[in-house]
Amino acid sequence: MRLLPIIFAVLLTACRLGAGEEFRFPPPEFESGYSLPQTTHPAVSSCEIVDIALLALALLAAGFLAHRARSRRGLVALAVLSLLYFGFWRQGCVCPVGSIQNVALFLSGGIASLPIVVVVFFILPLLFALFHGRTFCAAVCPLGAVQELALWKPVKVPEWLEHILGTLPYVFLATAILFAATGGQFLICQYDPFVSLFRLSGKVSALAGWGAVLFVCLFIGRAYCRFICPYGVLLKACARLARKRITITPDECIRCRLCEDACPYNAIRIPVPGGVERKTAPRERKILAALILLLPVLATLGALAGGRLGVFLAAKHPAVKLAEDINRRNLGETPKDNLPLIALRINRGDEGQVLLRAEKIRRQMKAGAATGGAILLFLLGMKLILLTVRPPRRDYEADPAACVACGRCYEYCPREQARLKIVPFDN
Amino acid sequence: MRKQFLSEIAKRRAAQTALALAAVAVLALLVGAARLNRDVMRKNTLLEKARVDLRGQDGGGRDEIRRLDAEYRQAQLRREIFVRKGALACALLVCLFFLCNIFLQARTLPEVRKPGEKPISAALARPALAGVSGFALVMAFAFILTHGKVPAEKFTPPLQPDKPAPGAEDFRRNWARFRGREGAGIAVGEPYPTSWNAATGTGIIWKKELSLPGASSPIIWNELVFLTAADKDSRLVYCFSAKDGAAQWERRILVPGGTAEAPNVWDEDVYAAATPATDGEKLFVAFATGDLACLDFSGNVLWAKKLSPRELPDNNYGHSSSPVVVADKLIIQFDQGSLASDGKSFLLALDKNTGNIIWKTPRAVPNSWSTPISAIHAGREIIVTTADPLVQAYDAGDGRELWSANLLGGEHTASPVYADGRVYAATESMRLACLDAGGAGDITQSGLKWEAFDGLPNIASPLCYNGLIFLADSGGKVTCYDAASGEKLWEQECGTPFQSSPVGAGGKVYCFDEKGTAHIFSAGKTLAPVGTAEISEPVKSSPALVAGRIFVRTKKHLFCIGTGNDG
């Protein structure tokens, strides 16, 4: 517990550093006689077909290992293989986490077509989550694998803090979609903490970024997955509906409580007795009614705040930044053109068009942020309602949304020990 | 108990050592990279300073900038190599730690809480979440309130003085599409030159070398000349000053999607066979690959699309029909397939501002290479197309077919012309047909005014000028008919085949043959050659004539011909 503040400080610093940037060599500005090679469309690589096939195979294997074989070792081995292939060999691209942005850009009409590999990487883990839960996180995602393998001395995050930090991925997802759909930046890739590790390259800040995130993950299990990953939001939604869920025990829970604190990711739910105590029942009912009535108010507040903040958010969009540079230059605030303005002039760009586009993007960002704000606060209200209505639970269960199917809890269960014939078990 | 390869303590020590080494390596990498980064920044500052100090200096100044630029790049490269090697070392140590950690992740059974004891943190979840969320919301509104209402300043481009939209007079004096106004091939205004010689430079105002080949013709709008060119891999749009030929810009057209293959063509010139078109504000270009783009006059691509999104156009020689602007629409004759029954041919009307399809009318013809024309007939804007075997007229408003005549055949390239309520269409293997433009339905019999069979062109389109029809055929012969009666008036053997369509200007007819010789005749009922003039380079495109100047594109050059070098 005492380590927590230090760990979070490091995590915040790491996020601030930004990770995914790589070196870029600008072309010479003088004539050197060298003719730049012509850009052509990349041909469909056979690698992409291999990627798709391996992703499907890995997902199938993860499902089998988590549900049928119940093998933690198998899952770790698969995670290592995924890390080697999807992480180091394919250098973390294309990944389902980043594919959200391509899909958002395509759906907003920003690009005419979407490569099949991106579509498959976006959809397949979600489809599997509908059947098997988050087995993608367990052993296929290279980002998850790094964190899984890095966890050294798990520090439990208090549940109240877990709930608060658990809202961050929703905010990140909404912001990333907003920026991608308006053709701005791919924030998810830009703030991918491990891409510079996979590519063995990057700016000093990027290297410091992955070092810091890795340090945090030594103590807080899957800090990125739990408190940042935007794809996790979608996976959680699908996993809630999963046909087959991870069970701690292979057959019947005997409520021995040995697994109670087994999960470093706070995904095990303890039994809740049925009914509510007579004394607290009226108060709880009132809170519930108030929360239900508050839902539309929250959504409206979210829309209002989002709409206003959207304009500030838009100021971070490259096209809007460029338009602001033009305005500042026209008003005489900056006597010298900065690099983007020089590039615009060299390419004979139409400043009028840039300004019109920026205004359009600002309107889009405002509308998008208002919608996002309304949805986020509505979901927050729903979360508070769910925390109020605690349905009775008889056994120790893995929360289908929070459980990443890592298989750590299996070995804590005496029924599992008996199934594996490690220890004899007598009812 | 399972037998363990290493003791628990040994595994723990190994993991701790690997972790410590990895931490040291990461720190060393960061320190080293930061140092090299400082070096890069320092060299960049020196370079920037030199750029400012030595600006405009030749010789030594330039060499100094190059030296500093090279040093700057070397520093970048040193940093890159250091980071790559360092990151690799760190990654290996991290992986070693992972490996030890995998073996170390043993079960340590937690302390079990007393029965009935509820985790304290869970009870706090709801108030904590509500409290923090409420606080965040209050902070958000406080931020909004303290930062004013939001940036009210709008990005609005500075107001341009009201520029009237291009009118009929602008289109009359410019050459805005293939064969100029209405695709008629007739120029207006000043007298045009009748003698020049590219070998001696006589009458050549300027000449520009083109980096890529093409068979498309130039178009002219005010003081700008637009031209397309392409090869197997790239597609270009050029913009030159009409006054002195100075290159204004050059834009490479890249349309996303589709296939990277190039059409299988008989001659590399036909990668860019379609002539651009303009509405006076935007430029529209098309290529053999089916790539279509709209640019502004500064060369910015406003929109681009593929006519055939997933594959190349099904066309023996690649798409060649030129785009045509009709009011707010861009008309594309997109004929494909070996047979009419393939059902792949369409006449398309796109929104010229967005490229979105307004209407799409199927055409019962196979692939063709002719360009449609538009004309106002009986108060209605019609579009006339020719292909094998049909001459067809469409309502420009909704794309409805008005009439058709089954009179043509073979591989059809020549475009039709419209004059005085009649449409003239010719194809080498069939006939020159004169049709009444006002019919309805099948007018093969009813609409045919006259037909003729001599001097039929293969590629060059007919010219209707001064009440006469002029044909330039692939045998090298120029033939003249009376437009009213169809009577053949004269013919002249020129000796070299024609691909370029004849144009009429200043009472004369200009026919450029394949070798680049212009045969000039008086546009009269009797044969009256005015003379010949030489470009001395093969000409396949049709000339554009504006303000007393003739713009001709050859395989490698664009020529501007005028009366004297008056610049």
Side-chain angles (χ1 to χ4, degrees), chain A residues 22-32 38-41 72-73 76 80 83 88 91 112-113 145-153 157-161 163-164 167 196-197 199-202 204 207-208 210-211 214 218 256-262 270 283-284 287 291 298 301-302 304-305 307-309 311-312 320 323-324 327 330-331 336 347-353 355-356 358-359 362 366 377 380 383-384 387-388 390 408 411-412 417 420 422, chain B residues 2 12 15-16 19 26 29-31 33-34 37 48 51-52 62 65-66 69 72-73 76-77 79-81 83-85 87-91 94-95 97-98 101-102 104-130 132-134 137 140-141 143-144 147-158 231 233-235 247-249 251-252 254-260 296 298-300 302 306:
Chain A
E22 281 192 90
F23 292 130
R24 292 278 183 270
F25 283 78
E29 288 173 23
F30 50 82
E31 288 177 11
S32 61
Q38 191 210 333
T39 324
T40 53
H41 294 297
R72 160 86 182 147
R73 285 180 186 192
V76 170
V80 170
L83 174 63
F88 288 105
Q91 302 193 325
S113 60
V146 170
Q147 297 169 82
E148 183 69 39
L149 299 176
L151 184 58
W152 189 39
K153 289 196 180 297
V157 178
E159 201 176 323
W160 60 269
L161 189 56
H163 283 294
I164 291 169
T167 54
S196 57
L197 170 67
R199 295 179 185 178
L200 305 177
S201 173
V204 182
L207 300 169
W210 74 252
L214 210 59
L218 293 174
C256 64
R257 303 179 62 208
L258 286 172
C259 65
E260 203 168 69
D261 287 324
I270 60 170
R283 186 169 150 265
E284 290 295 310
I287 291 174
L291 283 172
L298 280 174
L301 281 175
L304 279 174
R308 295 289 176 132
L309 290 175
V311 184
F312 292 102
V320 179
E324 279 172 354
N327 269 1
N330 290 348
L331 291 169
K336 201 178 153 194
N347 289 306
R348 294 173 186 279
D350 184 342
E351 292 191 356
Q353 291 292 331
L355 293 173
L356 287 174
E359 191 51 41
R362 205 146 74 167
K366 197 177 165 188
L377 282 207
L380 179 74
K383 176 109 184 159
L384 289 170
L387 284 172
T388 307
R390 288 190 174 242
R408 280 172 195 268
E411 290 185 334
Y412 285 80
Q417 300 276 356
L420 297 173
I422 296 170
Chain B
R2 289 178 203 168
R12 193 171 294 278
Q16 283 167 347
L19 188 59
V26 170
L29 173 65
L30 289 177
V31 172
N37 209 34
E48 287 299 320
R51 274 206 187 109
V52 175
R62 182 177 294 178
I65 291 176
R66 286 187 173 180
D69 188 87
Y72 169 53
R73 282 163 200 284
Q76 278 186 316
L77 209 58
R79 180 183 62 181
E80 170 83 12
I81 292 166
V83 166
R84 279 198 180 279
K85 287 183 177 169
L88 180 64
C90 290
V94 165
C95 288
F97 164 69
F98 285 170
N101 202 24
I102 289 170
L104 199 63
Q105 284 175 359
R107 290 160 290 133
T108 45
L109 292 179
E111 287 179 21
V112 179
R113 295 192 197 107
K114 288 173 190 165
E117 188 187 340
K118 199 177 173 186
I120 297 167
S121 56
L124 282 173
R126 189 181 62 196
L129 183 60
V132 170
S133 309
L137 203 58
F141 277 108
F143 176 79
I144 291 163
H147 283 72
K149 284 183 175 174
V150 292
E153 171 203 359
K154 281 193 170 178
F155 297 124
T156 41
D231 63 8
D233 303 313
S234 25
R235 290 156 282 287
Q248 301 297 300
W249 49 261
R251 178 69 67 209
R252 192 177 295 274
L254 282 172
V255 185
T259 171
D296 63 18
S298 300
N300 300 308
L302 302 178
K306 283 194 178 287

